[in-house]
Amino acid sequence: MGERTKFFSVSLTQGPKPRSRRSTATRESRYWRSFKNSQLSSNLFSAVSSLEFSPVSPNDLAATVSTSLLLFSGFESLSPKPFSPISNFSDVAYSPSYRYDGALVAAGGQSGLIQIFDPINKRPVLRRLRAHTRPVRVVRYPKISDKAHLFSAGDDAVFNYWDTAAESIVSSFPAAHKDYIRAGAACPVSPEVFATGSYDHSVKLWDIRANECGGSVAEFNHGSPVESIMFLPSGGMIATAGGNSVKIWDVYGGCRLIHSMDSHNKTVTSLCNGKILNKNSDLSVESRIFSVSIDGYLKVFDYSTFKVTHSTKYPSMLLSVAASPNGFAWVVGSANGVIYSAKKKEGKDKDEMEIDSNSGKSISLFSIPSEVKTNTVLKPSSHRYFTRGQGEKPSEDDYMVKISPKVKLAEHDVLLKKFRHKESLVSALNGKHPDKIMAVMQELVLRKKLIRCVENLEEEELGQLLGFFPRYATVLNYSRFLIGLAKKVLQIRSEDIKKSDKLKPHVKNLKRVISEEIKIQNSLQEIQGMISPLLRLAGK
């Protein structure tokens, strides 16, 4: 996969003192930033297509990566551990789904096969459901009080409702959509109601009890190919993702569009329902919409105020997201095979404390279990961030980046960068390193400035150049270039050379060297003429 980009978090020891008054959005943003980011898995070699948390404690995680279904446990601790992967798929696996009691997990596949597993006892495949002719991208169990059924949909545009115990289809809706079905969700308040989204831009609601009416009880258009769907906890609203927008629809109000969130720059790939525990609210739990996109951003959306309250940037395209039912963790899956996780730090952080204006005491903004006291992150906007000093030691989670030493440029290179061409040539001649002199001359040729530099050379500088020719004009690597240049210099500066007694010795020396080289070449040609017939006779 080449070099792997690592996502890391930096935790420092001190933070700025909290202000007495902050907006709700600011407090919530501080709450999300208190999650500790890490890589849950980084040695995968394929995209993480889907993620799903178990609805019951200890909230295990299921992830589909290539031909495997990966299971992770221990999200109630700081270090989740992977189970042995389930590799019963002959091709790519999609859409893991836990039954509402967490006892079974089902997943679809590229071949159209749906398989059901026991994630706890690791037994072989319990059920194989065959009906789809194309990849099954959507497999979902009902959210409540139904252990015997699930629904599936896929690229064949067919929606099926299954009796898993009998391995049979209870209801089937061929051509449920006009294009691939890539999104689906089960209603949290009714086990018979489901929603599907398709690349034909449409979203349909299905009620199995209305089978005689065709099954579809409502339909609306998202306006883009639908990548993900989720019911909000009340069951009366649906969030859909497609293109770079997330839209919220009022199901009870006739599938009316309530709001469109367009905060992503590229296609939104996945949605999930997250939770925030707010002590200052009458409700103990508030819901948020998590959305991820191929722009690398995770967005947290408060649909009660229609505002994005937090965003996190990851170093690669994101394809999937899931949040734990207890609200203390979320995970995202990337296109390069990395699963990133974020867990709520235990304890009451100073960043989550606020001063009560009436009593003057510190109060906690969010009810989080406290066992271990953790440190906060220094904000770049604070004075203490810039004065923390070079002696600040890294923590175990910090990624050390070694800065390569700065390369010191030679004087002629500095002058070239400043486009001071004549000074660069004179500096190289003063250095008396033939390789560097030749490199500067060739660079000036590329810039079409060498002849101009020769024309502007002073008498002493021209003497240095003419003195360079006799020493290296006969060197094999330099001869062709220097002889041609010497001829050009003599033509351009002939008048100056005739008037100067200091330049004439250099020209005489050059003439002598060239004459000796010509005699040597003639002698070598004579020797070659004598040897060539002997070599031909020896060859015969």
Side-chain angles (χ1 to χ4, degrees):
M1 292 184 0
E3 292 188 3
R4 190 181 303 281
T5 303
K6 294 188 176 181
F7 178 80
F8 57 91
S9 62
V10 180
S11 58
L12 303 176
T13 55
Q14 294 181 346
K17 294 182 180 180
R19 299 177 181 176
S20 59
R21 294 181 181 179
R22 294 178 187 246
S23 64
T24 304
T26 303
R27 292 199 302 268
E28 182 171 330
S29 182
R30 298 203 319 270
Y31 171 76
W32 294 118
R33 286 199 301 267
S34 67
F35 280 68
K36 179 182 178 182
N37 291 284
S38 62
Q39 287 189 12
L40 181 61
S41 180
S42 60
N43 56 352
L44 309 176
F45 297 96
S46 185
V48 183
S49 60
S50 303
L51 295 165
E52 177 83 4
F53 273 102
S54 172
V56 298
S57 182
N59 302 129
D60 295 339
L61 174 70
T64 51
V65 181
S66 185
T67 60
S68 298
L69 175 63
L70 306 182
L71 301 176
F72 297 86
S73 66
F75 274 87
E76 294 181 348
S77 64
L78 290 177
S79 56
K81 298 179 180 179
F83 290 124
S84 298
I86 299 175
S87 302
N88 293 73
F89 298 88
S90 59
D91 44 34
V92 181
Y94 298 112
S95 186
S97 177
Y98 278 97
R99 201 168 69 178
Y100 80 92
D101 58 358
L104 297 177
V105 62
Q110 184 78 17
S111 64
L113 179 66
I114 304 168
Q115 301 185 74
I116 302 176
F117 307 92
D118 182 350
I120 301 175
N121 299 319
K122 308 296 182 301
R123 284 186 255 170
V125 181
L126 301 180
R127 294 288 188 273
R128 288 186 172 91
L129 310 179
R130 304 176 186 270
H132 291 277
T133 59
R134 302 290 295 276
V136 180
R137 300 298 189 110
V138 179
V139 175
R140 290 291 182 270
Y141 274 105
K143 293 289 187 181
I144 55 173
S145 64
D146 189 346
K147 296 182 179 181
H149 299 93
L150 62 77
F151 80 89
S152 63
D155 288 357
D156 55 3
V158 176
F159 172 75
N160 290 327
Y161 183 66
W162 295 86
D163 182 346
T164 57
E167 299 185 28
S168 61
I169 296 176
V170 177
S171 299
S172 180
F173 304 97
H177 288 271
K178 298 178 181 179
D179 206 336
Y180 300 154
I181 302 176
R182 294 291 176 87
C187 180
V189 296
S190 174
E192 295 88 7
V193 178
F194 304 92
T196 57
S198 169
Y199 274 16
D200 63 4
H201 302 188
S202 68
V203 177
K204 291 186 178 183
L205 294 180
W206 305 85
D207 191 337
I208 302 304
R209 296 166 295 186
N211 193 13
E212 64 276 2
C213 299
S216 176
V217 295
E219 180 179 356
F220 53 92
N221 193 307
H222 176 83
S224 300
V226 181
E227 300 285 350
S228 183
I229 290 179
M230 59 168 284
F231 278 91
L232 300 186
S234 65
M237 291 190 291
I238 289 179
T240 60
N244 63 343
S245 64
V246 177
K247 297 182 179 180
I248 300 177
W249 308 82
D250 183 4
V251 176
Y252 297 153
C255 297
R256 175 175 57 91
L257 177 63
I258 298 175
H259 182 74
S260 178
M261 177 185 69
D262 301 316
S263 61
H264 287 283
N265 298 321
K266 296 183 180 180
T267 302
V268 183
T269 53
S270 183
L271 301 174
C272 77
N273 180 47
K275 294 181 180 179
I276 182 172
L277 307 181
N278 194 338
K279 190 173 182 179
N280 292 347
S281 175
D282 295 335
L283 297 174
S284 59
V285 176
E286 295 183 8
S287 296
R288 299 290 185 266
I289 297 175
F290 283 33
S291 63
V292 294
S293 166
I294 60 176
D295 62 7
Y297 275 96
L298 163 73
K299 303 281 186 177
V300 180
F301 181 65
D302 183 359
Y303 54 87
S304 63
T305 60
F306 302 127
K307 292 182 180 179
V308 176
T309 58
H310 180 66
S311 64
T312 300
K313 181 69 170 70
Y314 290 88
S316 58
M317 297 185 294
L318 303 181
L319 301 182
S320 52
V321 62
S324 64
N326 57 18
F328 295 144
W330 79 68
V331 291
V332 294
S334 67
N336 62 358
V338 181
I339 301 177
Y340 301 101
S341 67
K343 289 184 59 65
K344 188 70 182 73
K345 296 179 183 177
E346 298 178 353
K348 295 181 179 180
D349 295 339
K350 293 181 180 179
D351 200 31
E352 294 181 9
M353 303 297 292
E354 188 175 66
I355 305 299
D356 189 355
S357 58
N358 297 325
S359 62
K361 298 180 179 179
S362 297
I363 59 174
S364 175
L365 298 176
F366 305 101
S367 58
I368 304 298
S370 57
E371 295 180 0
V372 181
K373 187 176 180 180
T374 58
N375 298 318
T376 59
V377 178
L378 283 175
K379 297 180 180 179
S381 59
S382 66
H383 174 71
R384 194 175 298 176
Y385 176 86
F386 293 99
T387 59
R388 64 191 188 277
Q390 295 182 353
E392 187 71 29
K393 295 182 179 180
S395 65
E396 295 180 355
D397 299 328
D398 291 338
Y399 183 82
M400 299 296 293
V401 179
K402 294 183 179 180
I403 301 176
S404 56
K406 187 177 180 180
V407 179
K408 185 177 180 180
L409 296 177
E411 183 182 5
H412 57 267
D413 288 327
V414 175
L415 293 170
L416 279 174
K417 291 184 68 175
K418 296 179 180 180
F419 300 98
R420 295 165 60 182
H421 300 119
K422 191 190 85 167
E423 290 89 340
S424 175
L425 177 60
V426 173
S427 175
L429 291 171
N430 290 331
K432 299 180 180 180
H433 294 286
D435 292 336
K436 295 181 180 179
I437 295 173
M438 292 296 299
V440 171
M441 289 182 177
Q442 290 172 355
E443 176 64 23
L444 293 175
V445 170
L446 294 176
R447 299 188 184 190
K448 300 180 180 180
K449 296 295 181 181
L450 181 58
I451 301 301
R452 180 66 61 84
C453 292
V454 172
E455 292 174 349
N456 296 330
L457 289 176
E458 301 294 336
E459 182 180 355
E460 185 178 353
E461 297 167 350
L462 182 58
Q464 289 181 316
L465 179 60
L466 293 175
F468 177 74
F469 289 147
R471 291 195 297 270
Y472 299 100
T474 57
V475 177
L476 181 61
N477 294 337
Y478 309 149
S479 58
R480 172 175 290 187
F481 179 84
L482 289 182
I483 291 174
L485 178 61
K487 184 177 180 181
K488 196 72 175 177
V489 172
L490 293 176
Q491 292 175 353
I492 296 173
R493 303 299 298 269
S494 59
E495 295 297 328
D496 297 326
I497 295 173
K498 291 178 182 179
K499 296 177 182 179
S500 175
D501 295 334
K502 294 181 180 179
L503 298 179
K504 289 180 181 178
H506 295 298
V507 176
K508 291 179 181 179
N509 193 18
L510 176 61
K511 184 177 179 181
R512 178 183 56 81
V513 170
I514 297 299
S515 299
E516 293 178 355
E517 182 67 20
I518 291 174
K519 291 179 181 179
I520 293 173
Q521 293 296 330
N522 290 332
S523 300
L524 291 175
Q525 287 181 353
E526 292 176 358
I527 295 172
Q528 184 180 8
M530 292 184 291
I531 295 177
S532 296
L534 298 176
L535 293 176
R536 291 194 190 96
L537 293 174
K540 293 181 180 180

